[in-house]
Amino acid sequence: MSRSSRNQSSSLPPATDSRLATAVHRESQPQCDQDSGFYLLQDGLSAFVARAALIQEASVSLDLQYYIFEDDSVGRILASLLLQAADRGVRVRLLVDDLGSRVVNPWITVLDQHPKISIRVFNPVAGRSGIKRAVEQALNFGRINHRMHNKLFVADGLVMITGGRNIADGYFSRADIEFLDVDVMALGCVLLDAKQIFDDYWNNPVSVSVAELPLEKLKNQSPENQHLDDLRREVKAFLEEEAKSEFIDALRESKMAGEILAGKIPFQWGPGTLFADPPDKALHRDSVPVEEFPGYKLEKVIRNSKSNVRISAAYFIPGKLGTELFTGLQGRGVNVDILTNSLASNDVAIVHGAYARYRKPLIREGVDLWELRKVSGEKKRKRWFQGKSQATLHAKTFVIDDDLGFVGSINLDSRSILQNTEIGLLMENEAINRELSELFDDWVTGEFAWHLSLSERGKLRWRARDEDGKTLQETTDPETTRWQRWLSWVLSWLPIESQI
C-alpha cells in the first residue's frame, strides 16, 4: 500500500482549557522554554496509576505505542479507560508490535469500530496463528526479525511516559514473575519530539490498520453482530467486577491523580533529548545511517563520561566492542558498574549464555558486575499486591557522571542496537541522576543481587546476603540446576550473537 493511499494522521494541538492543561501550564510557566520536566516512576503502582490517571484526565488525544499490550487485568483496565475516553470525544491511537502483542483479543475489532479509536499493528505477520504464522516467520525472517520494542504514551500532547514497562500485569507488580523496571513521566519541550516520533511510526507503511489484517480468528471469537454498545456493557460489567481488585483499589486510593492536577508532582527540570530509531529501520536498516541509532548516540555519551557509569540492563551482551568500551573506561579511571540478570532470573537462557563469556574479561579489568537474584529483596520490595513472585530485571537505566540519566527501552545487546526499534530519554539533571543512582544502589545490595568476583585461580565467585544479613557465597551460577547451567553453556556456543 502506498503512502498516498493510506489514512494519514498527525498529533492534535495540545489541550488548552482542561484541568490537565492548566496543571501543566502552571508547572511549566517558570521554566526555560528549551527545558523539560522529569519524574521517575520507580514502582509498579505509580506507573499504573500515572497511565490510568492521564487517560481519565485526557480531553483531546491519547497516543500509545507498545511492544506488548497484554489481554490481562492491566491491559483490559486500560483498554476500558481508553474506550471511556473515546466516548468523551478523545481521539485514541494505539500502535502495537505484532509479535510482542499478538493481536488476539476479540475486543480489538470492536474497539476499532469506534470513530475516535484507531488501532494499528507494526510489521505484521500475515498468518494470525498456527502453522501459517510459523511458516511466514521462517520464510520472511529477515523482515519479521525487526520488532518495535518502543514504549511511548502521550496524553493531550502535554505529558508523556516512556521507559521499560510494557502493558501487562507483571510490569505493575501483579504476576508470578515481577519485572523490576523504571519509567519516566515528562513534560515540556521534549513533547514536541515525542509527538513527531509517534506520528512517524503511525504513518509509516509498516504500521497496518487492524481492519486490513486477516483476523479470521478474532472474527470467529467475536460475533458479527457485536457492536460498541455490547462492548460498553462488557466494559461496565468488567470494571464493576474489577472494582474489588487490587488494581482498581490502588487507583481509587492513590493520590497521584490529584497531585498531578495540583502541581504537587516534584518534576525535575533540565535539557532532555529523546532518542528513537526511525521506523524505516524495520524494513530498510541498511539505508538508515548508524548515527541515527539510539544505541550509537548513547554509546557516544557513555564514551565521553568522566567519572562513573552505572548501568542496569535486562539483557547485557556487550560483545567485543562493548567489552573494550567498558574496560577502556575503567582503564582511564571511570568507575563502571553493571547490573544484569542472573541465569536464575533471566527469562531467556540463550541470552545468558551469550553474556556469560564476557564476565571474566570485564571483572579482570575492574568493572563491577552484579546479577539479580531470583527472589530479590522480598522484604524490602514495595509489595502492592498479595503473594510472592519471582523477580527479573527489565529496567534499562544509565547513570553517567553526576548530571546525566537515561531511561528507555534499549538493552545492551545486538537485538536492541541493530535489529529492533527503540526509544529512550536522556535527562540532564543532577537530581534525576541521584535518584537513578540510589535506585541502582538499592538493586545491588546483597539482598537483591549477587556481586561477582574472581578467585586467585581466576574462577567466578558470587556473593550476596540472606534475610538475616548472613553472607552467601557460591562457586556456580546461584539458584540454578545442573541442567540450566549445561543448557546455557551449550547455547553460548551458537554463532547467533548478532540476533539476540
Side-chain angles (χ1 to χ4, degrees):
M1 179 175 292
S2 68
R3 286 180 181 268
S4 60
S5 64
R6 301 181 80 250
N7 183 18
Q8 305 278 299
S9 67
S10 299
S11 295
L12 298 176
T16 57
D17 56 0
S18 65
R19 296 195 301 175
L20 182 60
T22 300
V24 170
H25 178 72
R26 182 172 58 243
E27 179 73 26
S28 305
Q29 197 170 25
Q31 308 298 333
C32 172
D33 290 342
Q34 302 303 311
D35 284 349
S36 300
F38 318 113
Y39 177 73
L40 293 185
L41 300 168
Q42 296 186 19
D43 63 82
L45 176 69
S46 297
F48 167 74
V49 170
R51 289 166 171 82
L54 289 173
I55 292 173
Q56 290 176 321
E57 289 298 327
S59 62
V60 173
S61 63
L62 289 161
D63 292 331
L64 290 79
Q65 179 184 12
Y66 282 97
Y67 176 61
I68 295 173
F69 198 115
E70 199 66 75
D71 183 26
D72 57 10
S73 293
V74 162
R76 289 212 163 196
I77 289 171
L78 294 184
S80 299
L81 296 180
L82 289 173
L83 175 59
Q84 292 179 344
D87 283 343
R88 297 195 307 269
V90 177
R91 189 190 70 176
V92 177
R93 296 187 295 178
L94 173 61
L95 175 62
V96 297
D97 183 82
D98 190 41
L99 289 194
S101 293
R102 288 295 307 276
V103 183
V104 294
N105 183 351
W107 283 19
I108 293 296
T109 53
V110 185
L111 278 173
D112 197 56
Q113 296 174 11
H114 199 293
K116 287 290 185 177
I117 298 179
S118 298
I119 303 173
R120 291 186 179 178
V121 175
F122 187 85
N123 198 11
V125 182
R128 304 313 305 156
S129 61
I131 294 176
K132 184 178 180 182
R133 185 179 181 90
V135 168
E136 189 187 354
Q137 286 180 258
L139 294 178
N140 297 286
F141 181 76
R143 171 180 69 83
I144 293 169
N145 193 35
H146 300 289
R147 307 315 317 170
M148 183 191 75
H149 196 236
N150 308 41
K151 291 91 177 174
L152 179 63
F153 177 109
V154 181
D156 274 356
L158 296 169
V159 185
M160 62 165 280
I161 297 174
T162 193
R165 289 186 177 94
N166 292 293
I167 304 300
D169 287 355
Y171 299 94
F172 303 95
S173 308
R174 187 192 185 186
D176 293 335
I177 296 179
E178 178 183 348
F179 296 98
L180 299 186
D181 220 328
V182 182
D183 292 320
V184 58
M185 181 163 57
L187 43 82
C189 184
V190 74
L191 264 296
L192 296 174
D193 289 334
K195 292 186 289 185
Q196 186 60 59
I197 288 166
F198 186 92
D199 286 349
D200 289 345
Y201 274 83
W202 184 260
N203 292 315
N204 194 279
V206 79
S207 298
V208 179
S209 169
V210 294
E212 301 172 31
L213 297 177
L215 299 178
E216 294 88 354
K217 184 177 180 181
L218 286 186
K219 292 175 181 176
N220 290 337
Q221 292 177 346
S222 182
E224 292 184 3
N225 62 351
Q226 187 175 28
H227 299 292
L228 278 168
D229 285 341
D230 301 312
L231 183 57
R232 290 185 181 101
R233 284 190 288 272
E234 288 186 35
V235 163
K236 182 180 178 181
F238 170 74
L239 291 178
E240 288 175 351
E241 182 178 344
E242 284 288 313
K244 301 177 182 178
S245 75
E246 292 151 326
F247 272 121
I248 295 296
D249 187 58
L251 178 60
R252 183 168 48 245
E253 297 297 324
S254 172
K255 298 178 181 179
M256 177 171 282
E259 290 174 342
I260 292 174
L261 296 176
K264 294 183 179 180
I265 298 293
F267 284 96
Q268 304 295 336
W269 286 80
T273 306
L274 197 57
F275 295 164
D277 280 301
D280 284 341
K281 181 183 179 184
L283 294 184
H284 310 291
R285 188 187 74 185
D286 293 341
S287 67
V288 178
V290 68
E291 292 80 9
E292 294 186 24
F293 292 1
Y296 177 87
K297 296 176 182 178
L298 189 56
E299 179 195 343
K300 287 185 64 177
V301 177
I302 293 172
R303 195 175 293 278
N304 290 328
S305 59
K306 300 295 189 296
S307 59
N308 65 88
V309 174
R310 316 189 82 188
I311 298 170
S312 64
Y315 300 150
F316 176 62
I317 308 175
K320 181 180 178 181
L321 294 178
T323 301
E324 290 176 352
L325 169 64
F326 296 125
T327 58
L329 288 173
Q330 193 73 41
R332 64 177 175 85
V334 178
N335 293 322
V336 179
D337 301 332
I338 299 170
L339 170 67
T340 190
N341 278 302
S342 63
L343 177 56
S345 69
N346 202 320
D347 57 355
V348 184
I350 195 171
V351 169
H352 185 86
Y355 142 75
R357 68 171 70 104
Y358 299 105
R359 293 186 290 198
K360 288 184 179 180
L362 289 167
I363 296 171
R364 283 194 199 102
E365 298 302 320
V367 174
D368 267 321
L369 190 60
W370 287 267
E371 294 178 356
L372 194 76
R373 297 178 63 186
K374 183 168 67 172
V375 179
S376 298
E378 189 70 34
K379 287 185 177 180
K380 292 175 66 177
R381 250 162 54 202
K382 290 185 177 180
R383 301 297 305 171
W384 304 107
F385 307 105
Q386 300 299 316
K388 291 187 176 182
S389 61
Q390 176 181 322
T392 185
L393 182 69
H394 194 261
K396 303 99 166 100
T397 68
F398 298 75
V399 177
I400 303 164
D401 295 336
D402 296 325
D403 60 347
L404 291 178
F406 182 89
V407 174
S409 68
I410 305 172
N411 288 299
L412 290 182
D413 58 12
S414 293
R415 171 156 292 281
S416 276
I417 304 300
L418 300 177
Q419 306 292 346
N420 292 340
T421 67
E422 306 284 357
I423 193 170
L425 181 57
L426 182 69
M427 300 163 282
E428 187 175 339
N429 179 276
E430 292 185 4
I432 288 293
N433 179 285
R434 285 195 300 271
E435 283 188 60
L436 288 172
S437 191
E438 290 168 1
L439 183 61
F440 186 92
D441 284 337
D442 287 342
W443 283 351
V444 298
T445 59
E447 293 180 32
F448 275 83
W450 298 96
H451 186 224
L452 278 67
S453 62
L454 294 177
S455 69
E456 292 182 358
R457 294 187 175 185
K459 302 293 185 180
L460 284 171
R461 295 290 183 264
W462 288 259
R463 178 174 293 185
R465 292 195 311 267
D466 64 15
E467 294 180 351
D468 298 321
K470 182 180 177 181
T471 298
L472 304 173
Q473 296 189 65
E474 298 288 346
T475 57
T476 58
D477 287 276
E479 304 170 303
T480 61
T481 64
R482 286 185 178 180
W483 163 252
Q484 287 175 301
R485 295 192 293 272
W486 180 84
L487 178 61
S488 177
W489 177 78
V490 170
L491 293 174
S492 72
W493 290 93
L494 294 179
I496 56 173
E497 188 173 301
S498 65
Q499 302 298 319
I500 56 178

